[in-house]
Each structure stands twice: as C-alpha cells, then as structure tokens.
C-alpha cells in the first residue's frame, strides 16, 4: 500500500452509506477531565479561586469537545476493490468515495482504511453538499491468501483532541490473492489414438457417459429424463451426461512440509510457492480449456468431481498451506482407490529427491499418463553447504514409467510442459 494517497478529486453526485458512531475518550481528554474533577472541587473546598477556575475551565473544555463530536458528520462513505481477485504480486486498488450529505460543513474529518499491515488516512476537505470525493490506494499482494480490507471508518475529532467518534461504513471486504499461473495446453491422456485423448472410463463408440442427476430445466432433452427418480422425488429429474472424450487431468500438490525442508532443517517458502504456482497453471489451464480437472492438496480434495471452473480452482489454491492434508504417501494411497484415467500430474519440490517418483509408480496403472514436476532450486534455503545433486531444469528423468521434470522458475514451465507433452 502506498504511503502517499493521491489527492481527492471531485466527481459527480452523492452516494448512499453510513453507520452509527463509536464515541471514545483520548488520553488527553482523560487527563483534562481528571484535572477538572480534582482542581474544581479542591478549589471550592479551600476557597482557592485559581484552582476552582482551572477545574471549571477543564470541564467546560470537555463539554465543548463532546458537543463538537456528537452531531452527525454529514458524510457517507463506501469502498470498492478492483479487482476483487488478483494473483500473487498483482495489482489491486481500493477506491474510497466520500459524499457530503449534510448542509453544514464539518472540518477536520479523516477517513481511515486499509489492511492489518498498513492503514491509509484520507483527509476529507470542506465541500458543498452532494459533492463526491474519491481517493484510491494500492493494496500490496506479496503473498497468497485472503486479505481483509477495512474497516472503513470516518473519525471525527474535536479541536482540543479530547474526544473522537468513529463512524464505520459497510462491512469488511476480502481480497482473494490467488497463485500465479501461466496458460498451458492440456496434455493428451496417452492411451487413446484420438488427438485429444480419452479417459479409461470411455465406452467404445460413445462420447458421453452418465455423470449425475439434476432437476429438469426448459430445453433439456426429454430422452434423458430419469423417470424412476422423478417418481420418487416428485421433481422431474434428468441424467447429466459428461463428455468422456475430453482428457481428464488430476493434479496432486505435495503439501508435506518435510519435502520443502533443506538438510539444515530450513523450510523453503520459495519452493512451496513455486509448487503452488505450477499446480495452478496445470489445473487452471485445463479448466480454462473446459476440460475436466481434479485437484488434490495432499490427501485433501480441493476440487471434487470433474470441474471446469477455473476460478474455483484458483480460489481453492489461494488458501493452501504446507502441512494440510497429510503427507505425500497418504495422498498417493488415496488416489489408488479413485477411478483414475486421464493424466496425473504430481507437483512437489526438487528438495524431495527421488522419493515422489517412486511413490507415484504405485498408481501408474490407474492413469493413462503420469508426470512429476519438481519445482524449486536445490540451493533454496541453503547456506554454507553444497546442495544435493539434481537434474538440470527441464530435464526429463523417467523412473518406472513416470516422467520426472524439474524447473527453477515459473517462466520455465511452458518449455518444460512442451517437453512433457512430446516425451
């Protein structure tokens, strides 16, 4: 978030908004009121006039300050995030709008907004009723996850600094920071002679298979009506068919923190983030091409079924953290019971060595094609020690029918992916 906020600019008419105020006493106000309650009675009791006048002056100043902050500030405020979702390192801008609604102009108003890491204060200038004041600021997105933006508060302070009243506008907003991704072509499944490939569940001569039951909507083929379920539920149900001629992609992200730990016991955040970016690129590209994708983070299923929702895939990966979903061995064991078919892409760290390839060999027969991508540099997180040997970036290293590829950066993925497709 930038420290300096662009100066307000006047545009258009007023907008709705507003909320109740929260009154609070500052430290200065507490001291002034305390002094008034001490010196006033003391001066009255002792007949010391100066002490009495000092106490009365403090209490009168507190009363005037309270009268200053109690009235409505006569403004409303709102905030918009553009875009509400962005990739790690991407640009997100919050636009704050303040509208003068009261006829009486108030001075010294400040609007506060931002995240937990940094707050931005916008001074609200004196303006005519109906004037809209707009200010925007950039929200930094160095990490994946959900960033809470807000609360958006208008703070009214009296000239003496004794009281302040905070008016909150709207609810907290959430900025979803997704992993980075690059577009990739979807790999063919490998067993079918067709260029696009098919899953192992395809029926000879058929291009679709039963997927699920759903309620009938206007325009559905009446030949797909499932009469037995319709009679049982009282709602007209139809069979939803899936195109099994499209290549399926199953992406398994290794979330075992031990596989991202150097021999010195240092966790390599760079390697894990690169692995997440690679997973987002593979799964997101398949979904964007409208091809079915399944996404696993360890033993946890992030995207069930055969989804083609690229946004859902990226949102699911936005909150992935190491350690969630169990170890890689448990995750691969869970895949052994799946229906399989299509391509399996396992994304792990180069720090994990050859173990992932050996583990994946156990489920090789369940899929048409099995690939392992080892992300990160073998030097990641290491100091003062020679790194373990690793294949050169992009070099295939087949082990037991499993294609293993390594890369150092996300920019290398398209070239590595091309080698994988023809390998």
């Amino acid at each position: 978030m930038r420290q300096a906020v662009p100066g307000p600019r006047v545009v258009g008419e007023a907008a709705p908004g507003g909320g109740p105020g929260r009154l609070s006493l500052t430290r200065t106000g507490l001291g002034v009121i305390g002094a008034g309650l001490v010196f006033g009675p003391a001066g009255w009791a002792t007949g010391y006039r100066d002490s009495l006048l000092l106490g009365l002056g403090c209490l009168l100043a507190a009363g005037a300050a309270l009268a200053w902050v109690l009235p409505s500030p006569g403004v409303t405020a709102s905030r918009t995030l553009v875009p509400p979702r962005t990739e790690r390192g991407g640009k997100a801008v919050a636009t704050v709008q303040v509208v003068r609604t009261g006829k009486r102009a108030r001075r010294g108003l400040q609007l506060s907004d931002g995240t937990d890491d940094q707050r931005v204060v916008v001074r609200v200038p004196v303006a005519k009723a109906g004037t809209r004041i707009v200010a925007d600021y950039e929200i930094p997105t160095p990490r994946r996850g959900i960033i809470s933006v807000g609360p958006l508060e208008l703070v009214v302070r009296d000239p003496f600094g004794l009281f302040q009243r905070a008016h909150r506008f709207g609810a907290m907003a959430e900025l979803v920071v997704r992993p980075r991704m690059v577009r990739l072509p979807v790999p063919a499944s490998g067993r079918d002679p067709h260029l696009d490939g098919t899953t192992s569940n395809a029926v000879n001569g058929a291009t679709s298979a039963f997927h699920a039951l759903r309620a009938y909507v206007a325009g559905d083929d009446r030949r797909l009506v499932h009469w037995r379920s319709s009679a049982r539920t009282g709602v007209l149900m139809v069979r939803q068919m899936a195109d099994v001629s499209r290549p399926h992609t199953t992406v398994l992200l290794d979330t075992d923190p031990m596989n991202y730990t150097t021999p010195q016991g240092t966790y390599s955040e760079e390697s894990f983030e690169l692995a997440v970016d690679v997973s987002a690129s593979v799964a997101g590209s398949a979904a964007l091409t409208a091809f079915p994708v399944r996404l696993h983070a360890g033993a946890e299923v992030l995207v069930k079924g055969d989804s083609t929702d690229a946004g859902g895939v990226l949102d699911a990966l936005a909150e992935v953290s190491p350690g969630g979903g169990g170890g890689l061995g448990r995750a691969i064991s869970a895949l052994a019971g799946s229906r399989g078919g299509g391509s399996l892409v396992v994304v792990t760290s180069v720090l994990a060595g050859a173990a992932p390839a050996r583990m994946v060999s156990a489920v090789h027969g369940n899929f048409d094609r099995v690939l392992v991508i080892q992300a990160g540099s073998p030097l990641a997180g290491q100091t003062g020690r020679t790194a373990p040997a690793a294949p050169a970036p992009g070099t295939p290293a087949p082990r037991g029918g499993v294609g293993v590829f390594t890369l150092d950066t996300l920019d290398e993925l398209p070239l590595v992916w091309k080698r994988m497709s023809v390998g």
Side-chain angles (χ1 to χ4, degrees):
M1 192 177 300
R2 296 192 298 251
Q3 291 284 355
V5 179
R9 57 186 187 275
V10 178
V11 295
E13 305 283 349
R22 186 181 69 255
L23 183 66
S24 60
L25 186 65
T26 65
R27 291 184 177 180
T28 303
L30 184 62
V32 169
I33 293 177
L37 294 176
V38 171
F39 287 108
W44 177 269
T46 60
Y48 187 53
R49 184 178 179 182
D50 290 344
S51 177
L52 177 60
L53 291 177
L54 178 60
L56 290 176
C58 290
L59 294 178
L60 286 175
L66 185 60
W68 179 279
V69 300
L70 282 180
S72 171
V75 300
T76 61
S78 61
R79 178 215 312 107
T80 56
L81 292 179
V82 180
R85 289 173 169 80
T86 186
E87 67 176 15
R88 180 169 57 90
K91 184 177 181 180
V93 176
T95 301
V96 177
Q97 299 188 34
V98 186
V99 179
R100 286 282 185 183
T101 58
K103 295 182 179 180
R104 182 183 175 185
R106 298 291 301 272
R107 299 179 181 273
L109 302 183
Q110 293 183 344
L111 195 68
S112 174
D113 194 34
T115 65
D116 293 337
D117 296 333
Q118 188 172 1
R119 304 288 297 179
V120 166
V121 176
V122 179
R123 295 186 179 275
V124 182
V126 177
K128 296 180 180 179
T131 301
R132 179 184 300 169
I133 302 151
V134 180
D136 47 23
Y137 62 92
E138 187 173 339
I139 302 175
T141 57
R143 301 174 184 272
R144 289 180 301 107
I146 308 298
I147 298 179
S148 296
V149 183
L152 178 61
E153 290 186 330
L154 180 73
V155 180
V156 182
R157 291 186 176 89
D158 65 272
F160 305 117
L162 308 183
F163 288 91
Q164 68 178 25
R165 192 178 184 188
H167 299 261
R168 181 170 295 188
F169 297 89
M172 298 282 289
E174 288 188 345
L175 174 65
V176 180
V177 182
R178 296 167 165 175
R180 296 176 56 209
M181 70 165 288
V182 295
R183 286 293 300 268
L184 303 170
V186 180
S189 296
R191 288 183 181 173
D192 194 87
H194 295 290
L195 182 61
D196 286 338
T198 64
T199 68
S200 59
N201 291 330
V203 180
N204 290 334
T207 60
S208 62
F210 172 74
H211 177 64
L213 289 174
R214 61 171 175 81
Y216 174 86
V217 296
D220 283 339
D221 189 346
R222 294 183 178 273
R223 291 174 298 180
L224 296 178
V225 173
H226 194 269
W227 297 107
R228 182 177 298 176
S229 298
S230 301
R232 184 173 64 254
T233 61
V235 178
L236 196 60
M237 305 293 291
V238 296
R239 293 184 294 272
Q240 183 178 355
M241 310 303 290
D243 185 358
V244 297
S245 65
R246 297 180 298 170
H248 289 63
T249 303
T250 300
V251 178
L252 170 59
L253 170 63
D254 179 12
T255 58
D256 188 352
M258 295 301 298
N259 289 338
Y260 299 89
T261 304
T262 67
Q264 293 78 26
T266 304
Y267 168 67
S268 175
E269 182 180 359
E270 304 87 31
S271 295
F272 183 75
E273 289 301 321
L274 179 56
V276 176
D277 292 345
V278 171
S279 301
S281 300
V282 176
S285 296
L288 285 173
T289 319
F291 287 154
V293 60
R294 288 164 253 171
L295 178 61
H296 299 248
E300 179 182 0
V301 181
L302 297 184
V303 177
K304 299 179 180 180
D306 297 323
S307 174
T308 56
D309 179 11
V313 169
L314 296 178
D315 286 346
L317 285 171
E319 298 186 80
V320 168
S321 59
L328 183 60
R330 178 185 171 192
I332 294 175
S333 298
L335 288 177
S338 66
R339 60 174 175 161
S343 298
L344 169 64
V345 180
V346 178
V347 184
T348 181
S349 169
V350 69
L351 300 171
R358 292 195 297 267
M359 295 179 185
V360 174
S361 298
V363 296
H364 181 267
N366 289 39
F367 297 89
D368 303 334
R369 188 171 189 173
V370 178
L371 304 170
V372 175
I373 303 179
Q374 293 186 294
S377 169
L379 294 171
Q382 298 195 33
T383 56
R385 180 180 291 191
T386 302
T395 302
R399 299 187 183 99
V402 178
V404 181
F405 296 78
T406 64
L407 52 86
D408 285 343
T409 66
L410 188 64
D411 294 334
E412 298 173 1
L413 181 57
L415 179 59
V416 171
W417 192 253
K418 183 178 180 181
R419 293 176 180 175
M420 294 165 67
S421 299
V422 299

